[in-house]
Amino acid sequence: MSRIEGYGRIDRSRHVTVTVDGAAYTGHPGDSLASVLLAHDARPANTGVKLGRPRGIGASWTEDPTGLVQVEEPFPEPMLLATTLEATDGLVARGVNGQGRLSEIPDLARYDRLHTHGDVLVIGAGPAGLVAARTAARRGEDVVLVDDRPTAGGTLTGTETIDGRPSLEVVDEIVAELRASPNVTHLQRTTAFGHYDDGFVLALERRTSHTDDGGLARRSRQRVHRIRAGRIVVAAGAVERPIVLEDNDRPGIMLAASARDFLHRYGVLAGREVVVFTSDDAAYAAAVDLHDAGATVQVLDARPTAPAVWSRRCADRGIAVTANTHVHGTRGPDRITAALVGPERREVPCDLLLTSGGWNPTAHLFSHVGGRLAYDPSLGAFRPAAPRPGVEVIGAADGTFGLADILRRAGGAGGADDAPHADDEPRDPTAVLWRTEGDPARQFVDIQRDATVADIARAVGAGMTSVEHVKRYTTIGTAHDQGKTSGVIASGITAELLGLPVEDLGTTTFRPPYTPVAFAALAGRERGDLFDPVRTTPIHDWHVAAGAEFEDVGQWKRAGHYPHPGENMTDAVLRECAAVRTSVGIMDASTLGKIDVRGPDAAVLLDRLYTNMMSSLKVGRVRYGVMCGNDGMVFDDGTVLRLADDRFLVTTTTGNAAAVLDWMEEWLQTEWPELRVRLTSVTEQWSIVAVAGPRSRDVVGAVFADLDVSNGTFGFMTWQDTALDGVPVRVARISFSGELAFEVSVSAWYAAAVWARLLEAGRAHGITPYGTETMHVLRAEKGYPIIGQDTDGTVSPHDLGMAWAVSKKKPDFVGRRSFSRAQNQDPRRKQLVSLLPTDAATKLPEGSQIVRFADDGRLPAPPVPMLGHVTSSYHSAALDRPFALALVKGGRERIGEVVGVPVAGELVAALIGETVLVDPEGARRDG
Amino acid sequence: MQLIACPWCGQREEIEFSYGGQAAVAYPADPASLSDEQWARFVFFRDNPKGPFAERWVHSAGCRRWFGAVRDTRTYEFLSVGPLSATTARPSVLPEATP
Ligand SMILES: [Zn+2]
């Protein structure tokens, strides 16, 4: 046991039991998993990812490059740091050999997000952050303070003196004041992981990690805070920098400040026989504290002379201090048993080697928003170079390391003079030392990636001169810790090998997230049914009850077909098609986009946007219309009903409803603002039920008794208003199948009732509900293209054989000029045609390529010239055979030609024909 | 996430907005009189400067109104926003609005 009485902020009156690699360990609330293991002189059974060498715990918080575990209980999670996991009863984990394993059971925990706004966001509740937050709060600002550790205070150990009192007393006092301030939001266990434009910061709060039951029943497990603040204060501290030496990846090698943190935070002594190897003053505090807690300690200082004050403190305790000395390597079967000291590599027995090469300011969150960092040779690190509007970096994050200075400046940053006081400590300059002499192949720079000085040398040898390239070549800085301890050293060693100053080389760019964030947290509640909104029609429940198979069209759920028991999709669709062509079918067309176009200039706007003339449409009539982009390519199609001189109802394809409205708005607002027109989406307000087939007149006539549905009174492409039990209904004679057909429109509230009435009236005729699959077959038999299926943004109305829908009278409309471009006149353009496989049996897969036969009936030698591709392909009940629509180069010229379609390695012959395969005379549309 | 100041709604998050490309590209007064190349220049070609750029934006998930902006393409910073000016002459050959 290495638990030391009188140290630590754990609750020794209570116990928790954790299991690591099958062994149970007892700890206390307040422990981390790492501190429990160290208290038992244990470590996770970790090995390096490439070389398989054993790994221990190298630091006490997120900078640890080695102590990764796979958590099994309470919920499986891969690659978490033992140092950041709070020890809770029942926690089960095991070491990882470089790779974790994703959970195979669903995560039932909730994750959520919260938006927070404030005048100032302070990141880090160490001495600098606390003072800055208090100053702002006292000024009446709305303050958000976040800190990633369980408790505030940063790296304060409690041994420091602030305002003449123990430092943590002052911390508690400030925290209490902040808690009592209504204008302060103070969140611990909350990591600011990304900083974006205009004062936007994402922070992850761990809300249940410290409770034994996970607290999942009552609260979300993690919460992403989306914080927007007028001013961001980065007080994220600094991370100690190790010194690279041979075999520095062994268990028992740790950052000096981390050993001190383990002692003061958890009451754990990480080793009994300690060698401290440093080029910076701060490590002496670790030496002194570990000695005072019972360890045997000696200090090896790489600098020519040891700092006077610390030397005296060490001498008082009998701690040997040797200046001008390097550790060159380590020895041990597994855990370190000796440091190899000096050029002669003298063995100095130890069970813990602490290294400290100075400090790297944690300026990640400054860098995320483009804050420039510059190398400071006095630190051997990169620090903020120039201020950025709205962002302040204070404390150690700015390269200020003395507590007295930190407190003074943090108070100053807030513009107050009530900052707490600490006495100045003399501080000797850090000596910049990236590595000592040794075998580069065993000098680990990124211990998690098993990347060594030799790897950097290889990168430089391969000609790389940028740290960004070296990073990608060596993978240094790409692990879970994102190079918190290795990044600057990698720059330093690369510069050394290139013979360049580090300041010229620079460092790699910091990018979010600062620490790993679970995808579940980012997804929040937007998973499962809430992943994407689902739109259903008012008749949806009926479709479900009828056993429909649904098709996703954008966000809509559309009934695709209604299989009877024992039917597959092909059977069902053939049956539904036959019903429409022989009797009557009914389809929910509510998802069609609908736009109300209203105003004195409504007809003018539509004339400019549709290829055909809409102003000549008479009230009471319906016209099919095509819209093109400026490039003359078909963008959407649909019907236009003229409701009044100044009012039209435009329908769009289901998937394009929003895009068409946007398109119309764009022209109206940006190009023709003088037109007096208003556009309103009424897609959700109106439901449409299509009744199609030779018996449709009987059905519609029976339901709407006030309507004269005879062909003479109610002609094709006209509409009439009527009512059902006082509810307004609009009926239009529109057909997308070539059959006699009606579209019944009614307020969405009454759609299910109207659907039921139509079904009831149709029962005598065997009315058959049909879905989008059947609708697709019926329209394809008539050669009606589906925009977005038979077209792809390179297809003009002429390519579709729709020159009839392009007005020759209008002087201009959107896309018109493009029709006369040379490219559009090219007779080799792809044109829509039908394809009939000559075996009358093969259904050509949609997307199949179309090729010309060689003379011997085989595929020509590569490169095989492509003629086009299959866009739609179905079995036809009416034709009793499969058929397809296709875009074929010069297709209409090739009508009557037989082409080849490779299907599953075979070349299937197919005859090119006109697009209309059923009822080309149009005899069926009037019933 | 950037804040964009809609001239009508004020500052909103960038996901509420859609980009509409270069501003002040006037629809040609008489497309029929243009050569194929001139027309293609209008349809397919836009400036791509490094620095301030006059653009069109629409507050898609807000008031749905279009507006003009000058944005620095190096920093994404919006230098100014305002209503779309009458920079786009209406083509004379289009159908006339009723008086
Ligand atoms: Zn707006």
Side-chain angles (χ1 to χ4, degrees):
Chain A
M1 280 296 288
S2 304
R3 194 78 77 170
I4 309 299
E5 276 307 319
Y7 284 87
R9 293 176 247 160
I10 48 172
D11 178 2
R12 294 190 192 232
S13 67
R14 294 193 292 143
H15 294 84
V16 296
T17 302
V18 299
T19 305
V20 180
D21 297 316
Y25 300 97
T26 309
H28 302 285
D31 260 323
S32 71
L33 185 62
S35 68
V36 173
L37 289 169
L38 288 171
H40 292 83
D41 299 320
R43 63 175 185 87
N46 284 358
T47 51
V49 63
K50 280 196 304 206
L51 306 173
R53 292 159 61 112
R55 293 284 186 264
I57 289 160
S60 65
W61 191 236
T62 54
E63 69 274 23
D64 182 14
T66 50
L68 289 173
V69 293
Q70 165 87 31
V71 172
E72 305 290 1
E73 298 286 342
F75 180 76
E77 268 194 282
M79 310 281 282
L80 298 183
L81 275 175
T83 54
T84 61
L85 276 168
E86 294 186 49
T88 52
D89 214 31
L91 182 70
V92 179
R94 59 178 177 76
V96 293
N97 53 2
Q99 274 189 326
R101 180 175 49 76
L102 284 174
S103 167
E104 282 160 13
I105 58 170
D107 185 355
L108 298 177
R110 273 180 299 147
Y111 300 81
D112 60 11
R113 85 174 52 119
L114 193 67
H115 291 260
T116 304
H117 295 81
D119 296 316
V120 57
L121 166 67
V122 179
I123 298 163
L130 284 172
V131 171
R134 187 179 70 172
T135 305
R138 284 182 177 176
R139 238 188 347 238
E141 291 184 69
D142 280 331
V143 178
V144 183
L145 171 64
V146 300
D147 184 88
D148 60 351
R149 298 202 78 146
T151 54
T155 52
L156 291 175
T157 60
T159 58
E160 309 82 359
T161 301
I162 299 178
D163 284 345
R165 288 185 290 152
S167 57
L168 293 179
E169 249 181 66
V170 177
V171 167
D172 289 344
E173 195 176 276
I174 297 178
V175 167
E177 181 178 335
L178 296 174
R179 290 271 138 122
S181 309
N183 51 329
V184 175
T185 305
H186 175 190
L187 298 164
Q188 290 294 145
R189 296 189 173 88
T190 303
T191 309
F193 64 83
H195 183 183
Y196 307 86
D197 295 313
D198 296 328
F200 188 60
V201 170
L202 295 179
L204 182 75
E205 182 188 6
R206 300 177 298 283
R207 291 160 53 77
T208 59
S209 55
H210 51 296
T211 57
D212 290 349
D213 63 352
L216 294 178
R218 296 183 307 282
R219 48 195 343 223
S220 57
R221 182 161 182 253
Q222 296 179 351
R223 173 177 286 169
V224 172
H225 291 268
R226 300 165 68 88
I227 305 166
R228 179 82 68 174
R231 175 162 83 78
I232 308 291
V233 177
V234 178
V239 169
E240 202 170 24
R241 188 169 59 240
I243 299 170
V244 172
L245 45 89
E246 192 180 297
D247 296 330
N248 58 332
D249 61 328
R250 241 180 244 297
I253 301 175
M254 191 181 278
L255 293 171
S258 295
R260 196 166 174 244
D261 194 33
F262 276 119
L263 178 64
H264 291 294
R265 196 178 288 269
Y266 307 112
V268 168
L269 193 57
R272 296 275 168 183
E273 227 177 339
V274 184
V275 170
V276 178
F277 176 42
T278 185
S279 65
D280 179 68
D281 279 13
Y284 282 85
V288 165
D289 288 359
L290 266 61
H291 167 273
D292 292 354
T296 307
V297 182
Q298 64 167 299
V299 179
L300 307 173
D301 197 320
R303 294 172 291 185
T305 49
V309 172
W310 284 111
S311 294
R312 201 161 52 245
R313 286 176 188 157
C314 287
D316 289 349
R317 290 169 169 80
I319 299 172
V321 176
T322 316
N324 208 15
T325 302
H326 285 187
V327 173
H328 289 277
T330 67
R331 186 142 297 165
D334 168 348
R335 182 174 176 148
I336 188 168
T337 55
L340 305 179
V341 176
E344 69 283 10
R345 297 184 162 237
R346 176 168 52 91
E347 283 203 28
V348 175
C350 64
D351 62 356
L352 180 65
L353 170 64
L354 302 182
T355 70
S356 173
W359 294 80
N360 298 333
T362 304
H364 298 63
L365 288 143
F366 176 72
S367 181
H368 285 177
V369 282
R372 206 168 60 76
L373 305 177
Y375 183 74
D376 182 338
S378 74
L379 302 179
F382 292 84
R383 70 195 287 185
R388 249 194 103 73
V391 187
E392 288 168 56
V393 186
I394 62 171
D398 191 35
T400 306
F401 291 110
L403 181 58
D405 273 350
I406 286 174
L407 292 173
R408 206 175 298 129
R409 293 191 196 174
D417 49 12
D418 53 0
H421 170 83
D423 287 336
D424 283 305
E425 274 264 325
R427 207 181 150 82
D428 279 14
T430 307
V432 177
L433 177 63
W434 311 122
R435 60 170 176 140
T436 60
E437 289 293 314
D439 176 2
R442 279 153 61 199
Q443 291 182 323
F444 290 83
V445 177
D446 188 328
I447 301 182
Q448 176 57 28
R449 284 288 185 238
D450 269 351
T452 63
V453 172
D455 292 320
I456 299 182
R458 229 181 328 273
V460 169
M464 276 160 233
T465 54
S466 143
V467 275
E468 296 287 0
H469 292 158
V470 171
K471 168 180 172 171
R472 282 150 184 80
Y473 189 85
T474 60
T475 73
I476 288 172
T478 60
H480 67 283
D481 60 336
Q482 291 283 292
K484 286 183 177 57
T485 55
S486 60
V488 177
I489 295 176
S491 288
I493 293 174
T494 304
E496 218 171 82
L497 293 170
L498 287 168
L500 288 173
V502 195
E503 39 271 69
D504 292 357
L505 189 67
T507 186
T508 53
T509 309
F510 294 117
R511 292 192 180 83
Y514 173 66
T515 49
V517 178
F519 281 119
L522 295 175
R525 303 205 178 185
E526 288 161 17
R527 57 183 189 177
D529 286 346
L530 300 181
F531 176 66
D532 193 36
V534 172
R535 302 173 79 182
T536 56
T537 77
I539 311 167
H540 185 75
D541 289 348
W542 189 93
H543 304 318
V544 173
E549 294 286 340
F550 287 90
E551 180 193 7
D552 289 337
V553 183
Q555 292 169 330
W556 286 103
K557 291 281 176 204
R558 297 199 69 178
H561 62 289
Y562 301 81
H564 286 176
E567 274 184 344
N568 61 22
M569 184 173 102
T570 307
D571 299 337
V573 171
L574 286 171
R575 174 180 51 75
E576 291 172 13
C577 285
V580 173
R581 294 253 182 254
T582 58
S583 178
V584 61
I586 183 167
M587 187 186 73
D588 181 358
S590 301
T591 62
L592 284 178
K594 305 165 206 86
I595 301 167
D596 186 282
V597 182
R598 204 166 182 181
D601 297 322
V604 176
L605 178 70
L606 297 185
D607 271 355
R608 291 181 186 180
L609 292 176
Y610 281 99
T611 59
N612 36 4
M613 188 83 92
M614 291 301 170
S615 53
S616 60
L617 185 64
K618 291 186 171 56
V619 174
R621 295 197 155 265
V622 183
R623 187 164 287 164
Y624 171 80
V626 176
M627 273 188 201
C628 290
N630 269 330
D631 59 2
M633 301 305 156
V634 176
F635 162 56
D636 203 68
D637 70 344
T639 55
V640 177
L641 283 67
R642 189 159 204 168
L643 306 181
D645 273 347
D646 62 351
R647 192 171 184 191
F648 295 80
L649 185 82
V650 164
T651 69
T652 75
T653 55
T654 294
N656 239 357
V660 171
L661 181 62
D662 286 348
W663 177 246
M664 295 171 82
E665 278 287 356
E666 180 181 341
W667 283 97
L668 186 57
Q669 289 186 37
T670 68
E671 207 70 36
W672 309 312
E674 73 283 2
L675 292 185
R676 291 160 298 166
V677 185
R678 288 290 177 266
L679 305 167
T680 310
S681 166
V682 290
T683 300
E684 305 267 357
Q685 283 69 25
W686 286 99
S687 278
I688 298 181
V689 177
V691 184
R695 315 306 306 177
S696 59
R697 181 175 284 130
D698 301 332
V699 176
V700 171
V703 173
F704 305 104
D706 294 345
L707 215 54
D708 180 350
V709 290
S710 67
N711 198 43
T713 313
F714 202 156
F716 182 60
M717 294 302 258
T718 67
W719 61 267
Q720 295 191 37
D721 277 345
T722 183
L724 189 60
D725 296 352
V727 174
V729 173
R730 178 170 298 138
V731 181
R733 267 199 60 196
I734 295 169
S735 177
F736 200 37
S737 58
E739 297 299 321
L740 173 70
F742 297 82
E743 285 185 0
V744 178
S745 297
V746 66
S747 158
W749 296 106
Y750 300 98
V754 167
W755 175 271
R757 297 276 187 102
L758 288 164
L759 274 182
E760 180 58 32
R763 195 189 302 186
H765 308 291
I767 193 167
T768 300
Y770 67 98
T772 51
E773 285 298 332
T774 298
M775 182 258 292
H776 279 190
V777 179
L778 296 171
R779 64 87 201 176
E781 289 171 342
K782 292 292 293 178
Y784 301 146
I786 298 267
I787 307 307
Q789 173 165 339
D790 300 298
T791 68
D792 60 4
T794 67
V795 180
S796 72
H798 308 86
D799 299 335
L800 292 174
M802 287 190 174
W804 56 267
V806 176
S807 166
K808 289 173 188 61
K809 290 187 202 142
K810 291 194 289 184
D812 196 26
F813 51 83
V814 174
R816 184 181 192 276
R817 174 61 185 83
S818 288
F819 296 153
S820 57
R821 291 175 70 213
Q823 292 88 332
N824 286 54
Q825 303 296 317
D826 188 341
R828 291 163 302 172
R829 287 184 64 82
K830 286 184 185 175
Q831 294 163 334
L832 191 70
V833 290
S834 68
L835 281 186
L836 290 175
T838 56
D839 65 4
T842 308
K843 192 184 130 194
L844 304 171
E846 289 175 356
S848 296
Q849 292 295 330
I850 297 163
V851 298
R852 207 197 312 245
F853 275 104
D855 290 340
D856 59 0
R858 291 165 186 268
L859 210 55
V864 181
M866 302 294 177
L867 295 180
H869 65 278
V870 175
T871 59
S872 294
S873 181
Y874 312 99
H875 289 286
S876 166
L879 303 170
D880 193 24
R881 59 173 298 155
F883 73 105
L885 295 176
L887 286 169
V888 178
K889 282 181 189 164
R892 272 195 296 279
E893 282 289 303
R894 295 178 189 274
I895 285 173
E897 198 176 304
V898 174
V899 289
V901 180
V903 179
E906 297 292 315
L907 205 56
V908 176
L911 176 68
I912 296 182
E914 296 281 355
T915 52
V916 187
L917 295 171
V918 169
D919 185 29
E921 312 77 35
R924 307 181 62 85
R925 87 171 191 210
D926 292 328
Chain B
M1 178 168 347
Q2 215 171 345
L3 291 175
I4 298 175
C6 168
W8 291 278
C9 306
Q11 290 201 326
R12 300 295 181 93
E13 295 197 335
E14 66 182 81
I15 47 162
E16 295 186 11
F17 296 84
S18 305
Y19 183 56
Q22 184 176 0
V25 179
Y27 190 91
D30 183 6
S33 70
L34 301 183
S35 69
D36 275 8
E37 193 192 324
Q38 287 170 323
W39 176 249
R41 292 238 154 239
F42 163 70
V43 175
F44 301 114
F45 287 71
R46 293 294 181 269
D47 295 340
N48 186 22
K50 182 176 175 181
F53 188 37
E55 299 173 338
R56 305 185 315 158
W57 285 79
V58 59
H59 192 186
S60 316
C63 63
R64 299 181 57 79
R65 290 169 82 175
W66 283 83
F67 59 94
V70 177
R71 192 178 61 107
D72 191 319
T73 58
R74 294 165 302 187
T75 61
Y76 310 135
E77 190 189 349
F78 279 72
L79 305 174
S80 66
V81 294
L84 278 177
S85 53
T87 47
T88 50
R90 183 166 50 76
S92 59
V93 293
L94 284 168
E96 284 301 315
T98 49

